Amino acid sequence: MALDLDSPVHLSHQEAVSGTGWISKRVVTSPAQLRQVTQSASSGSARSLPLLLSVNQEGGRLNALDWPRVAQLPGNLALGAARDEGLAESAGVAIGEQLRAVGLTWNLAPVCDTASWPAFAAVGTRSFGSDPQQVGLLAAAFVRGLQAAGVAATAKHFPGLGGVGADPHHVAPVVDRLDPGALLPFRAAIDAQVACVMVGSHTVLALDNRPALASPRVLGLLRDELGFDGVAVSENLSIRAVHQPLGGLTQAAVAAVAAGVDIVMLDSEISRGRNPPAERAAAVRRRAEVVQALTTAVEDGVIGRQRVGEAAARVQALHQRYGLTPDSARPDWSQVNASALRAADRIAARSVTVARGASLLPLHVPPGKVLALVRVPDAGQRRADSARHTPDYLPALLAAHHRVLQVPVGAPVPTAGPVVVYGYDTRTATAGLSRAAREATRLTELGRAVVQVALGDVDDLAGSPAPVLVAAFSPHRPSVAAVARILLGDGRSHGVLPVCSAPW
């Protein structure tokens, strides 16, 4: 059963988790309440299997548990910049302990796709980097940490989105072949005994002319060549770009299961709590239609009963290994959240990277002058991005040491001191400089001393003439605090950009 923290369910004793598998953050408003709900769900009715709820808690930009005061870890690209398997494993442990404390024991992470340049919206900082071998080492370490904490890991999006230039959430990508080494991270995760693999919706013509999740050849590659015998789960079939190439939602579900997928994912995008009730009701109906279509496909022999038996056995084994009963151990939330914050601080200190101009730091603010800050608004190009709601921490952190003046984009900067241009998600889908890089260009051409800081994807820095470029990989407080320390001279850059072919 998958957990969508943005979708509705009644929270009575018997209905803490409904047949739809949704829990609404409009109702569940804290980790303590979620813990209570999942405890009730595990014991409120007779169950043949322990309760198993899935969630997206990757670190970085994709985190379902994004309430205030929940420690958020930097994403995978920060771990790639730190180049430390121990940190990656500690990140897995920290996230796993947070999830288990609130009763969530199946995480749809880590992303095993390699990063490309320029990045595209579906991957970006979610990847550990461009080097498949390094990505594999870090992904395997994350898997070990997550599963050591009692939470099933999911390597995604098989057979790898590296080199796919389009966002699979909006279009159906088709590529001729896999990038060299694309399978290495998945092989490493499988060698680390990853519990699940998510199969993507992109088509790799060198393997098959069908989307991966509906391709027996791709599933055969996963099972036979890579030796994976755990649970294969589909990419979210409710996304139009995912199911349309297969003839619609029900047809896509039947094709995926027939090809070798064990669990089809539905509704986590279209049935969010902020959507109108009619849309949510329609999502429930579509789920029932998928169940009926799968049942009919088995009865008609389109899906073999042996195929169903294999899938059921794998899913039951996943429940038995990672599912929760009323007596299952759950760590104390306050302790594991504090531990996660310490892990985030360590990762941030090791990952923030000065890509250009380290010799020009720390910032020199002349006496009587102010440090100008220009926050470039987000372009809003990415979906399902909880990090875009993170508060802007940089002004207060720098104001503790200098007089700070916040200036709107395009406005005159009435001081002779340095200018810090920064943003989280300022690159639009169109080609060219990011909005932040364009602002850095404007100010540089005016003769200002400019530092540009990318709090998200490093693509924001591409083409910028700023003498100092800093990549933080995360807008959360630990990473922004590490940036402030470097700018002020209280810390130094340890990270190395993990993205190949970046034009520095």
Side-chain angles (χ1 to χ4, degrees), residues 41-57:
S42 69
S43 59
S45 61
R47 291 183 180 274
S48 59
L49 290 171
L51 180 70
L52 183 65
L53 301 174
S54 74
V55 69
N56 271 306
Q57 189 77 12

Side-chain angles (χ1 to χ4, degrees), residues 124-485:
T125 56
R126 299 170 68 197
S127 171
F128 290 103
S130 298
D131 180 356
Q133 185 173 5
Q134 182 72 3
V135 172
L137 292 172
L138 296 173
F142 187 95
V143 166
R144 290 193 299 270
L146 192 63
Q147 295 190 166
V151 173
T154 307
K156 61 187 186 185
H157 307 81
F158 188 80
L161 288 173
V164 176
D167 187 342
H169 299 106
H170 301 295
V171 297
V174 178
V175 296
D176 290 333
R177 60 185 59 85
L178 289 174
D179 273 3
L183 296 179
L184 283 178
F186 294 96
R187 192 182 299 275
I190 291 167
D191 289 345
Q193 305 299 309
V194 69
C196 306
V197 170
M198 182 182 292
V199 187
S201 60
H202 54 300
T203 299
V204 182
L205 294 177
L207 300 176
D208 200 346
N209 60 0
R210 292 170 63 78
L213 58 81
S215 167
R217 293 181 183 177
V218 171
L219 270 297
L221 174 66
L222 176 65
R223 299 294 188 194
D224 301 332
E225 184 172 327
L226 273 64
F228 178 64
D229 195 36
V231 171
V233 59
S234 75
E235 174 61 282
N236 179 16
L237 297 184
S238 297
I239 299 172
R240 181 175 176 81
V242 174
H243 67 239
Q244 190 175 32
L246 293 164
L249 177 58
T250 58
Q251 296 94 323
V254 170
V257 175
V261 166
D262 302 312
I263 295 179
V264 292
M265 186 191 345
L266 304 173
D267 299 329
S268 62
E269 304 298 336
I270 62 173
S271 56
R272 298 193 180 278
R274 61 179 175 269
N275 285 3
E279 279 192 41
R280 300 199 296 270
V284 174
R285 289 195 300 272
R286 284 191 289 270
R287 178 169 292 206
E289 290 166 1
V290 167
V291 172
Q292 183 58 54
L294 289 170
T295 302
T296 301
V298 174
E299 292 171 347
D300 293 346
V302 176
I303 299 174
R305 293 185 182 274
Q306 182 180 354
R307 169 83 273 276
V308 175
E310 293 169 350
R314 292 187 183 114
V315 173
Q316 288 171 357
L318 186 69
H319 274 266
Q320 295 294 352
R321 181 175 178 186
Y322 290 102
L324 292 180
T325 67
D327 299 327
S328 296
R330 302 186 188 203
D332 176 75
W333 169 259
S334 61
Q335 292 181 3
V336 299
N337 195 53
S339 178
L341 182 57
R342 291 192 293 270
D345 286 335
R346 292 194 300 271
I347 295 166
R350 292 285 303 279
S351 63
V352 171
T353 303
V354 178
R356 178 195 295 161
S359 63
L360 301 178
L361 296 174
L363 293 176
H364 173 65
V365 181
K369 302 298 181 181
V370 300
L371 177 60
L373 303 182
V374 180
R375 169 75 191 230
V376 180
D378 294 348
Q381 296 293 299
R382 296 195 294 257
R383 324 165 37 262
D385 188 342
S386 65
R388 70 179 183 271
H389 302 301
T390 302
D392 183 1
Y393 295 108
L394 192 59
L397 289 167
L398 294 177
H401 298 266
H402 296 290
R403 290 175 55 216
V404 166
L405 175 67
Q406 294 181 258
V407 180
V409 172
V413 181
T415 73
V419 183
V420 177
V421 176
Y422 67 107
Y424 170 59
D425 174 22
T426 77
R427 186 169 63 94
T428 63
T430 57
L433 300 181
S434 68
R435 294 176 177 180
R438 291 201 298 270
E439 180 67 1
T441 300
R442 180 184 77 87
L443 293 167
T444 300
E445 290 174 349
L446 292 174
R448 307 308 301 264
V450 179
V451 174
Q452 185 182 340
V453 178
L455 299 178
D457 288 343
V458 293
D459 291 47
D460 268 18
L461 303 176
S464 173
V468 180
L469 301 177
V470 181
F473 311 108
S474 167
H476 296 114
R477 196 179 195 285
S479 296
V480 180
V483 169
R485 290 194 298 271

Side-chain angles (χ1 to χ4, degrees), residues 3-7 23-26 34 55 64-65 67 104:
L3 170 66
D4 181 351
L5 279 174
D6 287 321
S7 298
I23 294 176
S24 176
K25 281 196 285 190
R26 296 181 307 166
L34 179 57
V55 69
L65 272 64
W67 294 294
L104 309 178

